[in-house]
Amino acid sequence: MNPRYERNIPALTEAECGILRGKRVLVVGCGGLGGHLIDMLARIGIGALRVVDGDVFEPSNLNRQLLSEVPLLRVRKAKAAAARISRINPEVAVEAEDSFLTNENVHRLLLACDAVLDGLDNIESRKMLAAACAQAEIPYIYGAVNGWVAQAAISMPGDHLIETLYPEGATLKNKSVLSFTPALCAAMQVSLCVKLLIGRPVEAGTIYYFDLLNQEFESIPMT
Amino acid sequence: MIEVRVFATLRQGRDKVTMLSPEGIACAGDILDRMRIPREEVSILLINGFHQKPETPVKDGDIVALFPPVGGG
């Protein structure tokens, strides 16, 4: 087998590695969560990654966003993400979309995807993406962070998990995110995604909640 | 008594666990009012481990857990 994937074995079987190489995953957002998501997905050997972000790197990204570097300030995030994927694993087919998620582009971006990973930073876009995933019958791997807290889940079409989590008028207290919080959240999201793609058992509709300040970890059945 | 556990930013200015007398409390929303927690600051509301709505009745002996919205990336 390709030596690049030797250490995937035996945690994954060779057949499971082959399954992953046949999958296409959409990552929406190339910031705090998205940078880690993209890195892990490329290294484990997902065959095709479609990455989406309409933003550029700013100095305030440097405290947590894996893809941000001083030489990349003002560089387009989607372009930087595609370049990093190619440097990590040239076997991954990359499509980069240098735009924000909209009602106009979301359905096109979902075409031929096996799963969607949430690297978004706001509630409205999550609701839009979750609704489009439900319509297209594609699993949505949710992740969100704030300060010391991360939470992740698999939302399957029709479970309305995101609507349940963010009732009308839900507000976010602040935009603080520490360096390690998105890394943990992304690790949970990618592990859920990989298990889903290779057919290992997963609990959809359960929120995995991590409070790194108080060392509290909860599994919360929501649906 | 009703045991109310709050998480993350909902602990700012509040104890991790509060014991409330069930007197005057008919539903989970009454607990939010008693603790001065606005509805929009609660994302997950568990009653005895199951997600419920503020309108859901609560009774003596219940354990209620409240989590705020987490939405950054």
Side-chain angles (χ1 to χ4, degrees), chain A residues 118-199:
Chain A
D118 173 357
L120 290 161
D121 66 356
N122 67 87
I123 295 171
E124 293 70 28
S125 296
R126 285 193 172 93
K127 286 184 174 177
M128 185 201 306
L129 182 58
C133 285
Q135 196 180 335
E137 300 193 326
I138 298 172
Y140 173 93
I141 320 297
Y142 163 77
V145 292
N146 179 244
W148 299 77
V149 172
Q151 59 189 29
I154 297 175
S155 172
M156 295 303 279
D159 69 10
H160 304 290
L161 176 68
I162 302 303
E163 289 168 54
T164 307
L165 269 181
Y166 300 114
E168 206 60 42
T171 54
L172 305 175
K173 273 272 187 185
N174 61 65
K175 289 190 166 185
S176 165
V177 182
L178 300 174
S179 61
F180 40 77
T181 317
L184 173 78
C185 190
M188 191 71 198
Q189 288 176 270
V190 173
S191 69
L192 291 170
C193 180
V194 165
K195 287 189 284 186
L196 189 69
L197 291 175
I198 61 179

